[in-house]
Each structure stands twice: as C-alpha cells, then as structure tokens.
Amino acid sequence: MKRSKLWSYFKKEGDGNVICTICNKRVKTSGNTSNLASHMKHKHPEDCDVDDKSLDKSQRKLTECGGTSSSLSRSAGVSVNLQTSDESAKPPETSVDTVEASCSSAVVVFPTTKPATPNTSANTPKIKQAFENVYQYSKGGAKYDRITDAIAYFIAVDNRPFYAVEGKGFRHLIKELAPLYKVPCRETIKAKIDKKYDTLSKFVAHKLKNVDYFSLTTDIWTETLTNTGYLGLTVHFLQQNELQSVTIGVFELEESHTGEYIGQQLTGILRSWNIDTEKVMAFVTDSGANMVKAIRETFGAHKHIPCFAHMINRVAEEAIRKTSGLSDIIEHVRNIVKYVKKRQDMTLELKRKQIESKIPDEKALKVILDVKTRWNSMYYMLERFLDLAPYISDIIFCKIDAPTMLTAVQLNTIKDVAYVMRPLEAMTREASAERYVTISKIVPMVSCAIDQYKELGVTSTIADELKRNITLEIEKRFGHLEYNMLLAVSTLLDPRFKNLHFKKPEACAKAMSRIRKFISEYKSAVTASSTSSEDEEKVEFDFWKYHKSLAHTQIKRKKTDGDDELTLYLSAPVNTLKVNVLETWQEMQGVYPNLFKVAMCHLPIVATSVPSERLFSKAGATITQSRNRLHGSRLSKLLFLSSIAGTKYWN
C-alpha cells in the first residue's frame, strides 16, 4: 500500500504521538492520518498541495529523515525554484551543497545537509527576564500594584460591589489579560480603597488649603433599604481658571435632623478638611426649613443661597396645582404611559408602528414615565407622548382593558401646556451645570422668563391659565432675588450681563456699593502687606498684554477723574453669550485688577444643589440589596474617590 504523503510532514515519537516537522507541535494518532490531515489543513494549508507523483526516491528519503522539500528549504534559508520552459528563471545560488532531483515536470533543489532545528531562542525570554516578569505580577511588583489600583478604580467609579472581584467572569477576564496576575480577595480590595482614600484625601486637603474661596452644596438623603439618613457635602472652587468640584463626604446622621445638629455636622466636616469657614462664600441648599436654619444660624444668613432648581420646581408644581383641569389631563396621560410601559407586547407594537412609518430601528422612541418629585420629568413625559400619540392611538384602540385615548382637544391642550413649560425647562437645564459659571445667570434668566411669558400666546384655555399662574409664581418667588448680594454682585461681574437685567435700581445700586467696598478692602490689604520686590511673585511673560489692554480699555479715552474700575467696566459693551466668562476675566485682569479679585470669589459659586443630588444618585447605586451593610465611612470614601476619578488628583 502506498504510504500517505502526510507522513512526510511528521516524525514519530512513540506512545501514539507524532511531531510536526514544521511547527514542532505534538499530534496524537492511532496509526491513521485523520488527525494529521486535520492538523495540516488548519495549521499549514499552504503545504498541503504537494503531489505524491512529484516525490522521487531521493526526495522521500530526505522527508523520512525529518522534513519535506518546502520545510527543509525554509529551515536552511534556501528557496525552491521550479524550472519550467522559461529558461530565464534560474535557481538562486546557495552556500550549502545541493543535490538535484529530477522529474518529468520540474527540477527541485534540496539541501544535502540535515535541516536545522528551528531557532526559538530569539523568541524565548532569558531566565532572568522570565523571573522579572513573574516578580512584576507578584504581590509588591509594579504591574501587580497598577492592576490592583485599576481594580479599585473600577469599584469606585462604576459603583461595583467588592465581591465583584470574586466573580467567575471577572477572574476569567483578568486571566486572559494578565495570566500571571492573581486577583486579590475582596478584603484586599477594601484595604486598597482605604489606603487610596487616606492618600488622596490628604493630597486634596492640602490642595484645598491653598484655595482662596469656596462654595458648597449640601443636602440630606434617606436610604430606604436601611432607613438611614446621610448628609452629603460637595465643595466647588476655582483652580487654574477652571471650575473644580470634589465630594468631601457623605456622612451618616445618627440623630434627629434638626437645624442645630446639621450645623454641627457641617462645621465638623469642614474642620476635618481644614476648610476655613471664612473662605466659604456660599452654601447652596434646598428650601427645607432645617437646612435653611442650619446655614443661617451657623454660618450667617448672607451665606445662604436657595437652590434655583428647587425654586423652579416649586413654581411649576404650584402653577399646575392652581390650574383647574390640568392635573386631570396629566394624570390621564400618565395612566396611558404606565399601560404601554408595563406591557412588553405594547412596547414591541409601538416600535413596529414607528418602523412601518420609515423611522429607523435605532431611532424608535419609547414612552417616558415621570417622577413626581421632578417637574421637568413630567414635561419630558408630555413632550414624548405628543411625539408618539398617533402610534399609541392605533395600538390602544383595539385593547379592551386599555385607558381611553385623549381627544383632539385634550391633545391640543397638552401641546400648549408643553409650550408654556418650555422656558422653565430651559432655566432648569441652564442652572444645573457644574463646569461653567451659573450663579450669574439667575437674575438674567428670571428677567428673560418674565418677558417670554408676556409674549407667549396659546389657544387653549387651560394653557392660558397655566401661563398666568406661572407668571404670578415667578414674581412671588423670584421677585426678591436682586436683593441677594451674592446673586446681584455675580450678575454685575459677568461681562455677558452686567446691569442689563436689573428691574430694581436700588438693588443694583446696593450691589455696586458692595463691590466698591470689596475693592476698598483689597486695596487696604495690599497696602498693609506690601513687600519688597524680592518677595514679589515672578510675573509670567505675556506677549499679548498690550493688545489685551487696547481691546478692553477703549473707553479710557473718555475717562474722567471720578471714574473707577467698576464705572469703566460697566461702561464697556457686554460680551456675547458664547464667551467663556473666566477666560474673559483673565484677559481683563490687567485692566481691572481689583475688580478681577471680586469676580473670582463670586463667579465660582454654583446656582443649585444639584451636585449633592447627583451625589445621592451615586449613593443609591452604591448601596443596593447586595450591599446594604456598607458602612457609612466606606460609602463616604467610595463617593469621594468616585468624584475625583478621571481627574489629575487620582494619579
């Protein structure tokens, strides 16, 4: 029986195993060539095209000694040249002795020497390097520390439970990424979190010590699983011309939430972080009586700012409540949304209807159910319901147990109601940002909202009544805002607004007087602490200093002896809404040096306590059914690390 050519690629080892002469891999065989053929087909398909007829006796003798023509030529570094009728193609010269094996169709050149064993030393690490790799992934090694630190980052940022590191899938992932790394147990990760917190909290506390002014947001949250109250505190400040925020604590409250107790807790938290209360420009809280009392009695009424988002929420809730018939229509929409949302077949049918209307699958919409404590979620529910109303109407028409669909008149009312609520939603969104200046927008936004409602026209009787009620609530709750010095001064010092939106001249004059008082205090402080030129800080070179001076002081040609920095500043045109306020003030610093200092301590104040609410959203995700025993101190550590994750502080 003719021997299969596949055996020319393998060398018998014994015990039913053979060695591939191409890749040196061990293949098991019981005497047949099934496994051999499978190996060649999947691993070396390019070597499976050799015809048995082309193998003469000398060629087979060579292959039986340990290799095929192709593999031997590769091992010796010699190419195989098949000479055909084209005489121009000649075999390359080689440095080894060769023997010719002729056949009817080709001349194949083979090395006469035994093929060399593949050189794997280039790819095999040295013993010293191998030991170093093992050490790097062992406890105490650099790579071990980096991976463990990354796992701690993963736990803190994504609000994962500590037992996640013991999960089968997580360990499989780490094994694939770093086979030499041994995943630590949850207790080790807890210790890593504690150590990371100790290091970073000291570092951040040192940084905060060098900050001149702060604003803080605070709120209380009750965790429903354990019925435990927590006090959250976030600090906001300006550093290198950028607004920064850090969560400095979520602390478990062990007593009744009285104003006095809350004030004591806030004082203790600030003391533990070495934050001087004199540097705190403002506390932003909701309108809860205990929170207001805590700030006013502990730190002073002049440092309290009510959360603007909560005030808008109260405006919307009261206006809706006072508008006859509106609550019933909203409840009707809510019932339809609940019906569609709780049934999977309805959700799928709603999606199918949209696709049939040529809407792409990825852009198909779902209904939105509101959260009664947040008025803007109700606005989003109504807006989405109007978009999906034609499809919902077709679906629930055939359902016996479905709520009745709104009439055309009711749909028109909902459309007008959403139109009336749009300015309130825009105000909430503008005021809730953290990465740009918001405190100076409050007075201008209220002014713009009042003007919007004067010009806004609707056809629905209910919507028209809602518009009047909103206008009355805005005047009732926001009419005194211009007399809040923190808000008024911030608005004046925003180059986009200045004094354009002040409706009460006496409030504007009072704010201007307050600014001049600040400037006078700064000048006195500079005079009292004047130093020699040797102690002065080195001024950074600014090539465009002259240009900035020209750009911001064109009004100087009209200057009189009675003009001061504030007068010159207010006389200049306002900037566009798109400018970066903090960058603009950096450019104007040389022109209004004292006014710049006043601006830098007021503009970083945030307008809402939304950062604290977002903090508690993270806290709710951190404390789950599987983590309901998480101790308050560790919760505080996790949320602190989460707040600085991704910033330069973490590394």
Side-chain angles (χ1 to χ4, degrees):
M1 181 182 293
K2 183 179 180 181
R3 190 182 189 190
S4 172
K5 67 177 182 179
L6 289 169
W7 287 104
S8 62
Y9 294 87
F10 296 91
K11 182 168 60 178
K12 291 184 178 181
E13 187 182 35
D15 297 331
N17 294 323
V18 295
I19 300 295
C20 176
T21 58
I22 299 177
C23 63
N24 293 327
K25 184 174 181 179
R26 181 179 287 102
V27 180
K28 189 173 182 64
T29 178
S30 58
N32 57 37
T33 59
S34 299
N35 290 349
L36 279 59
S38 177
H39 177 80
M40 294 299 297
K41 180 179 178 181
H42 292 92
K43 301 296 184 181
H44 314 292
E46 72 281 359
D47 292 307
C48 292
D49 296 329
V50 181
D51 188 358
D52 274 343
K53 295 181 180 179
S54 65
L55 298 174
D56 59 11
K57 292 182 179 181
S58 61
Q59 193 174 2
R60 288 176 182 171
K61 183 176 181 180
L62 288 171
T63 57
E64 288 174 359
C65 293
T68 65
S69 59
S70 59
S71 62
L72 289 171
S73 61
R74 280 195 301 270
S75 300
V78 181
S79 62
V80 178
N81 184 35
L82 300 179
Q83 289 185 343
T84 60
S85 57
D86 185 3
E87 294 296 329
S88 62
K90 297 182 180 180
E93 295 181 0
T94 63
S95 59
V96 296
D97 296 329
T98 62
V99 61
E100 292 186 355
S102 59
C103 64
S104 59
S105 60
V107 175
V108 185
V109 182
F110 296 95
T112 58
T113 58
K114 187 176 180 179
T117 303
N119 182 15
T120 59
S121 61
N123 298 326
T124 304
K126 296 180 180 179
I127 295 178
K128 182 178 180 181
Q129 182 181 354
F131 275 107
E132 287 180 355
N133 285 338
V134 173
Y135 173 75
Q136 290 290 320
Y137 285 101
S138 300
K139 190 173 182 179
K143 291 183 179 179
Y144 177 90
D145 290 339
R146 284 201 300 270
I147 296 175
T148 306
D149 188 70
I151 293 175
Y153 180 91
F154 158 74
I155 295 292
V157 173
D158 291 346
N159 301 310
R160 300 298 180 186
F162 291 111
Y163 69 78
V165 299
E166 298 174 355
K168 185 176 179 180
F170 181 81
R171 288 181 175 270
H172 175 74
L173 173 65
I174 297 299
K175 187 174 180 62
E176 288 294 320
L177 297 176
L180 295 176
Y181 176 78
K182 184 178 180 181
V183 180
C185 65
R186 69 176 77 180
E187 297 302 324
T188 302
I189 296 299
K190 289 179 182 179
K192 183 71 174 179
I193 290 286
D194 292 341
K195 184 177 180 181
K196 193 74 174 178
Y197 174 81
D198 292 339
T199 302
L200 292 182
S201 60
K202 291 178 182 178
F203 176 77
V204 172
H206 177 72
K207 289 291 184 181
L208 294 180
K209 195 173 183 180
N210 298 323
V211 175
D212 294 328
Y213 300 101
F214 302 93
S215 68
L216 296 104
T217 68
T218 183
D219 199 2
I220 293 178
W221 169 67
T222 301
E223 194 275 307
T224 55
L225 288 175
T226 59
N227 198 28
T228 304
Y230 291 92
L231 176 67
L233 193 63
T234 63
V235 58
H236 305 263
F237 53 95
L238 186 65
Q239 191 172 59
Q240 295 179 350
N241 205 34
E242 291 183 0
L243 293 175
Q244 306 285 340
S245 63
V246 175
T247 298
I248 60 174
V250 174
F251 298 89
E252 186 175 336
L253 298 176
E254 299 176 348
E255 298 181 16
S256 179
H257 305 168
T258 63
E260 181 180 1
Y261 177 64
I262 294 171
Q264 292 173 357
Q265 293 300 306
L266 290 174
T267 302
I269 295 171
L270 296 179
R271 187 183 300 114
S272 66
W273 284 86
N274 295 322
I275 296 177
D276 187 356
T277 55
E278 294 298 321
K279 293 183 176 182
V280 178
M281 293 296 297
F283 287 85
V284 185
T285 73
D286 60 19
S287 300
N290 55 347
M291 296 299 295
V292 174
K293 182 179 180 181
I295 302 303
R296 292 187 175 183
E297 292 188 356
T298 307
F299 305 101
H302 64 285
K303 289 191 175 183
H304 179 256
I305 295 180
C307 172
F308 189 57
H310 279 84
M311 296 177 71
I312 296 175
N313 196 70
R314 296 292 296 274
V315 167
E317 288 179 347
E318 287 298 308
I320 291 171
R321 186 181 64 82
K322 293 178 180 179
T323 303
S324 57
L326 179 55
S327 296
D328 294 336
I329 296 179
I330 294 174
E331 187 63 27
H332 193 166
V333 173
R334 189 177 291 120
N335 290 334
I336 295 175
V337 170
K338 287 180 180 178
Y339 178 81
V340 175
K341 196 174 183 66
K342 72 180 181 180
R343 295 183 53 168
Q344 185 180 14
D345 60 327
M346 296 290 292
T347 302
L348 294 174
E349 182 67 13
L350 180 60
K351 183 177 181 179
R352 186 180 66 80
K353 289 284 186 182
Q354 295 178 72
I355 294 174
E356 289 176 354
S357 300
K358 309 301 181 183
I359 296 176
D361 186 9
E362 64 274 8
K363 293 186 178 180
L365 302 175
K366 295 181 180 180
V367 293
I368 297 175
L369 183 62
D370 67 327
V371 180
K372 291 188 176 182
T373 56
R374 297 180 181 178
W375 83 268
N376 54 339
S377 66
M378 184 265 293
Y379 167 80
Y380 299 136
M381 179 184 70
L382 297 181
E383 197 174 45
R384 179 61 57 84
F385 183 82
L386 289 171
D387 293 335
L388 298 176
Y391 312 109
I392 295 175
S393 179
D394 290 343
I395 295 173
I396 68 175
F397 179 76
C398 302
K399 303 294 182 181
I400 298 176
D401 60 338
T404 58
M405 185 59 185
L406 271 66
T407 64
V409 174
Q410 289 174 321
L411 284 173
N412 183 65
T413 299
I414 290 296
K415 182 178 180 181
D416 282 351
V417 166
Y419 184 60
V420 170
M421 288 183 169
R422 190 183 302 171
L424 295 182
E425 190 276 335
M427 294 168 71
T428 303
R429 186 164 22 88
E430 285 279 347
S432 299
E434 293 185 56
R435 295 301 179 186
Y436 55 83
V437 174
T438 56
I439 187 68
S440 58
K441 286 185 174 182
I442 294 180
V443 172
M445 283 195 295
V446 171
S447 173
C448 291
I450 293 174
D451 184 72
Q452 285 267 353
Y453 284 114
K454 286 181 180 178
E455 302 295 329
L456 190 146
V458 291
T459 58
S460 169
T461 304
I462 292 179
D464 188 61
E465 183 181 352
L466 175 65
K467 183 187 77 170
R468 292 196 302 271
N469 289 333
I470 289 177
T471 303
L472 292 174
E473 287 295 322
I474 288 177
E475 292 176 352
K476 173 185 175 182
R477 298 181 184 277
F478 298 141
H480 63 283
L481 286 182
E482 293 182 15
Y483 290 98
N484 185 308
M485 286 297 99
L486 291 174
L487 299 180
V489 170
S490 300
T491 305
L492 282 174
L493 295 180
D494 191 321
R496 300 170 297 178
F497 307 120
K498 298 186 179 181
N499 56 354
L500 292 181
H501 292 280
F502 280 85
K503 307 297 182 183
K504 298 176 174 59
E506 62 275 17
C508 183
K510 189 175 180 181
M512 293 173 64
S513 177
R514 181 70 174 269
I515 293 173
R516 289 190 172 96
K517 182 179 179 181
F518 274 117
I519 292 176
S520 178
E521 291 174 354
Y522 286 136
K523 288 181 177 179
S524 299
V526 170
T527 303
S529 60
S530 58
T531 58
S532 64
S533 58
E534 296 179 359
D535 297 330
E536 293 179 357
E537 295 184 0
K538 185 178 180 180
V539 180
E540 186 178 352
F541 174 72
D542 186 1
F543 177 79
W544 294 103
K545 181 178 180 180
Y546 177 66
H547 167 77
K548 294 174 183 177
S549 177
L550 292 177
H552 293 284
T553 58
Q554 295 179 12
I555 197 69
K556 278 189 173 182
R557 61 179 181 270
K558 300 180 181 179
K559 180 179 178 181
T560 63
D561 293 338
D563 289 338
D564 58 4
E565 286 186 19
L566 181 59
T567 303
L568 291 172
Y569 164 77
L570 294 176
S571 300
V574 295
N575 291 76
T576 63
L577 292 174
K578 294 183 179 180
V579 301
N580 185 308
V581 179
L582 299 176
E583 290 180 357
T584 301
W585 266 111
Q586 287 293 331
E587 294 178 358
M588 297 191 300
Q589 180 180 2
V591 182
Y592 313 111
N594 295 302
L595 206 58
F596 169 80
K597 296 177 182 178
V598 184
M600 290 301 100
C601 68
H602 284 80
L603 293 177
I605 300 173
V606 292
T608 71
S609 60
V610 169
S612 293
E613 294 185 7
R614 290 172 179 159
L615 169 65
F616 288 136
S617 295
K618 289 184 179 180
T622 304
I623 300 180
T624 61
Q625 288 285 356
S626 57
R627 304 180 71 179
N628 56 9
R629 295 183 180 180
L630 188 65
H631 194 271
S633 62
R634 182 158 281 124
L635 173 64
S636 180
K637 294 176 181 179
L638 287 170
L639 294 174
F640 165 76
L641 293 176
S642 177
S643 70
I644 65 171
T647 67
K648 59 184 179 181
Y649 296 124
W650 183 275
N651 296 321

